[in-house]
């Protein structure tokens, strides 16, 4: 019966209303797994450690830009299509995670994505799914029939109705509830929803964790195309959606009382490590700024830009681009993109700090120069100001990166992008590394503070109120 309803759902999927996301976080986190149990345990604080794809080597300039280009396409695809849906692993994903699903439990490598809503993994019926990965990991196909806790989600269930904003044409009764995702780069994923147990580690004491789990509805990928298909580089088993909708894993766990609707990440820009934490971080203190309402991604209001001691003279509406209001915070993007009217004076001000710089253009788009001194002594910091007096200081060693005999400027001109991406303001790892970034979806705010991502933070157990010390140090092996 399951096979029949699945086939019907996939056959009818082309006639259904499209669901879409706004891209992939592209930061793939290694989830700490301990002995897994099938009893339900409260997930007050969940910790995931970061494994860096490029550990021990630097990606090329072309790889970085190709990653960002595809990333932006996926962000915009979710805005342009009428509804929200699942995300996908990026072809140049930077980090990845291992999670447990089902009973008996099997391990899956997935991408953690703050830019999409649902979780999905490739399924046993999958057509054109990748068979191997260049990351040196074993890929696993999920089979709901092989899990005693796995169940199909049907078209008449509340989740199916809610995720599709009502009944779907051709989807009724006990048929499997389908999903379909089409991206800006032409790739797609399609399948049906299931419900099963997902396993994590939770903080249970100072520098201690215990195994925990929660029931989550997620997509079972049955058909893949484009970069998601069998030839996809750096293939993974699926994605873990941490977007803002009720279908995301953070929203599902929060609605069942297992976690607060809060999470944070701290990315080590030097060593390529860090942490991803679900729960209330009580120390360090983080100043917050409101999220722009009615935006599918994490947008904030930028107010001003300061280079050294000088504020740039900018138009008041410079950080708005059509219907996309505000500045996108996206750790899945490598660099940082500014509108032309911001980029030009900012770069000019940076370059003017040193006389007789021989400025060259590398790969047709990177502004580079030779400099033998300390970049932090020779060039100014750039400070970005946001609503509620929140600021973000970007040091020269953050926005300048070495390439062969040059130093290249990481700031990019979004005014040079295609018309659908023109003059967007988007801040990626270039400015977010070495900062604890906190997402508070309960109060619709986001904030950050400079932090040593190899140190510790304090998190609160929501049931007992106890505050626990948790180390940010995790193995990257």
């Amino acid at each position: 019966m399951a096979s029949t309803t699945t086939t019907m759902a996939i056959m009818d999927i082309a006639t259904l209303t499209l669901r879409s996301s706004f891209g992939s976080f592209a930061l793939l986190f290694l989830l700490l797994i301990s002995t897994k149990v099938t009893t339900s345990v409260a997930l007050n604080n969940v910790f995931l450690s970061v494994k860096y794809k490029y550990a021990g080597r630097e990606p090329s300039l072309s790889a970085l830009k190709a990653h960002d280009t595809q990333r932006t396409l996926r962000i915009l695809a979710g805005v342009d299509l009428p509804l929200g849906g699942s995300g996908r692993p990026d072809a140049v994903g930077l980090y990845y995670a291992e999670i447990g699903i089902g009973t008996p439990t099997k391990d899956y490598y997935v991408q953690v994505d703050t830019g999409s809503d649902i979780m999905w993994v490739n399924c046993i019926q999958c057509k054109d799914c990748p068979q191997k990965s260049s990351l040196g990991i074993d890929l696993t196909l999920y089979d709901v029939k092989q899990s005693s806790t796995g169940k199909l989600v049907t078209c008449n269930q509340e989740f199916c109705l809610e995720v599709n904003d009502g009944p779907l044409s051709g989807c009724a009764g006990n048929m499997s509830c389908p999903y379909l995702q089409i991206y800006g780069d032409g790739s797609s994923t399609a399948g049906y929803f299931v419900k099963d147990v997902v396993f994590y580690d939770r903080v249970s004491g100072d520098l201690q964790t215990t195994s925990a789990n929660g029931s989550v509805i997620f997509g079972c990928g049955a058909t893949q195309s484009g970069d998601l298909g069998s030839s996809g580089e750096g293939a993974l088993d699926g994605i873990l959606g941490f977007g803002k909708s009720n279908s995301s894993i953070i929203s599902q766990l929060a609605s069942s009382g297992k976690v607060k609707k809060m999470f944070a990440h701290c990315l080590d820009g030097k060593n390529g490590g860090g942490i991803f934490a679900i729960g209330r971080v009580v120390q360090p203190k983080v100043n917050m700024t409101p999220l722009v309402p009615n935006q599918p991604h994490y947008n904030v209001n930028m107010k001003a830009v300061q280079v050294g001691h000088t504020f740039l003279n900018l138009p008041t509406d410079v950080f708005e681009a059509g219907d996309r209001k505000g500045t996108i915070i996206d750790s899945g993007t490598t660099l940082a993109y500014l509108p032309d009217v911001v980029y030009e004076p900012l770069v000019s001000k940076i370059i003017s700090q040193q006389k007789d710089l021989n400025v060259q253009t590398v790969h047709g788009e990177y502004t580079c120069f030779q400099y033998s001194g300390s970049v932090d002594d020779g060039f100014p910091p750039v400070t970005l100001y946001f609503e509620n007096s929140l600021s973000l200081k970007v040091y020269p060693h953050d926005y300048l990166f070495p390439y062969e005999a040059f130093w290249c400027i990481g700031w990019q001109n979004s005014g040079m992008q295609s018309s659908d991406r023109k003059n967007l303001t988007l801040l990626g790892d270039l400015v977010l590394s070495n900062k604890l970034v906190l997402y508070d979806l309960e109060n619709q705010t986001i904030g950050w503070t400079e932090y040593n991502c190899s140190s510790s933070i304090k998190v609160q157990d929501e049931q007992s109120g106890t505050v626990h010390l948790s180390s940010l140090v995790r193995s990257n092996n």
Side-chain angles (χ1 to χ4, degrees):
M1 180 64 69
S3 176
T4 302
T5 55
T6 296
T7 302
M8 292 175 64
I10 298 303
M11 289 176 61
D12 292 339
I13 209 164
T15 65
L16 303 179
T17 304
L18 298 182
R19 299 283 303 177
S20 72
S21 78
F22 46 91
S24 305
F25 187 56
L27 293 172
L28 313 176
F29 295 87
L30 176 61
L31 178 59
L32 297 177
I33 302 295
S34 63
T35 304
K36 303 178 180 73
V37 294
T38 58
T39 56
S40 179
V41 182
L43 297 178
N44 293 302
N45 297 290
V46 179
F47 276 74
L48 304 87
S49 67
V50 173
K51 182 161 182 158
Y52 188 47
K53 176 180 175 181
Y54 290 108
R57 61 190 178 94
E58 289 296 326
S60 67
L61 292 182
S62 57
L64 291 177
K65 198 55 179 284
H67 162 78
D68 285 356
T69 298
Q70 293 301 312
R71 174 63 175 166
T72 309
L73 282 172
R74 293 176 186 113
I75 289 176
L76 298 184
V79 176
D80 294 339
L81 293 178
L83 301 172
S86 69
R88 54 145 292 176
D90 193 273
V92 193
L94 302 181
Y95 300 84
Y96 55 94
E98 183 183 10
I99 63 171
I101 303 175
T103 309
T105 302
K106 293 184 178 180
D107 293 338
Y108 299 81
Y109 293 91
V110 294
Q111 176 177 341
V112 176
D113 185 3
T114 64
S116 65
D117 295 321
I118 72 165
M119 167 185 166
W120 64 266
V121 294
N122 292 322
C123 277
I124 195 71
Q125 303 96 336
C126 186
K127 299 176 182 178
D128 297 322
C129 274
Q131 302 296 312
K132 59 182 180 179
S133 173
S134 62
L135 298 176
I137 58 177
D138 294 328
L139 301 180
T140 303
L141 297 174
Y142 174 80
D143 187 352
V144 67
K145 296 180 182 179
Q146 297 299 314
S147 174
S148 62
T149 49
K151 299 178 181 179
L152 293 173
V153 175
T154 58
C155 293
N156 56 6
Q157 288 183 242
E158 182 179 353
F159 180 91
C160 188
L161 296 173
E162 181 176 344
V163 80
N164 291 293
D165 290 337
L168 295 173
S169 173
C171 179
N174 290 325
M175 293 176 61
S176 298
C177 179
Y179 78 90
L180 169 63
Q181 174 63 62
I182 301 174
Y183 298 93
D185 63 351
S187 61
S188 66
T189 175
Y192 52 96
F193 286 112
V194 297
K195 185 176 184 178
D196 209 339
V197 177
V198 178
F199 295 86
Y200 307 88
D201 271 9
R202 66 177 290 265
V203 176
S204 57
D206 286 350
L207 306 179
Q208 295 179 346
T209 61
T210 56
S211 180
N213 65 72
S215 293
V216 174
I217 295 175
F218 57 93
C220 202
T223 302
Q224 313 291 15
S225 70
D227 286 342
L228 288 175
S230 57
S231 61
E233 179 187 352
L236 295 159
D237 292 315
I239 194 162
L240 202 60
F242 271 83
K244 296 192 288 184
S245 84
N246 292 335
S247 59
S248 72
I249 187 169
I250 183 70
S251 296
Q252 290 190 57
L253 293 175
S255 66
S256 63
K258 293 182 178 294
V259 299
K260 285 292 185 180
K261 208 171 181 181
M262 304 172 178
F263 60 93
H265 58 70
C266 197
L267 308 174
D268 190 329
K270 289 185 177 180
N271 303 315
I275 198 73
F276 189 98
I278 304 172
R280 187 188 300 273
V281 177
V282 296
Q283 190 175 336
K285 296 293 184 181
V286 178
N287 293 328
M288 308 295 285
T289 188
L291 292 168
V292 179
N294 303 318
Q295 295 295 309
H297 32 255
Y298 295 101
N299 280 29
V300 292
N301 285 313
M302 192 188 297
K303 296 296 187 180
V305 177
Q306 183 181 12
V307 183
H309 299 291
T310 304
F311 281 89
L312 299 183
N313 186 16
L314 303 174
T316 56
D317 61 350
V318 65
F319 298 113
E320 298 183 3
D323 294 331
R324 305 180 188 100
K325 306 295 183 183
T327 296
I328 301 171
I329 304 297
D330 179 27
S331 294
T333 298
T334 308
L335 303 172
Y337 296 79
L338 300 171
D340 184 75
V341 293
V342 181
Y343 172 84
E344 291 293 347
L346 184 147
V347 171
S348 295
K349 188 69 174 177
I350 291 172
I351 292 174
S352 69
Q353 300 299 303
Q354 297 294 329
K355 296 180 179 180
D356 303 323
L357 278 183
N358 182 16
V359 179
Q360 302 181 37
T361 300
V362 176
H363 288 283
E365 53 197 343
Y366 290 96
T367 300
C368 304
F369 51 82
Q370 291 183 326
Y371 186 72
S372 59
S374 166
V375 293
D376 284 324
D377 292 337
F379 297 92
V382 175
T383 306
L384 311 177
Y385 292 90
F386 301 86
E387 191 175 348
N388 276 11
S389 301
L390 180 64
S391 63
L392 193 159
K393 181 172 284 189
V394 188
Y395 297 93
H397 66 260
D398 293 322
Y399 68 73
L400 293 172
F401 59 93
Y403 178 71
E404 295 181 350
F406 299 98
W407 285 98
C408 295
I409 297 177
W411 302 106
Q412 296 293 290
N413 188 350
S414 63
M416 302 297 291
Q417 306 296 314
S418 59
S419 59
D420 57 345
R421 292 177 284 156
K422 191 176 183 65
N423 285 327
L424 284 175
T425 307
L426 192 154
L427 305 180
D429 289 347
L430 179 142
V431 301
L432 299 177
S433 294
N434 307 310
K435 294 174 179 65
L436 180 68
V437 183
L438 196 155
Y439 302 74
D440 183 350
L441 299 186
E442 297 196 357
N443 296 300
Q444 290 296 296
T445 59
I446 187 173
W448 49 77
T449 186
E450 291 185 27
Y451 208 63
N452 178 2
C453 295
S454 296
S455 60
S456 301
I457 61 175
K458 289 184 178 180
V459 296
Q460 185 176 48
D461 186 308
E462 295 296 339
Q463 289 187 333
S464 66
T466 305
V467 174
H468 297 302
L469 181 69
S470 179
S471 173
L472 294 179
V473 177
R474 295 291 189 270
S475 171
N476 289 319
N477 299 322

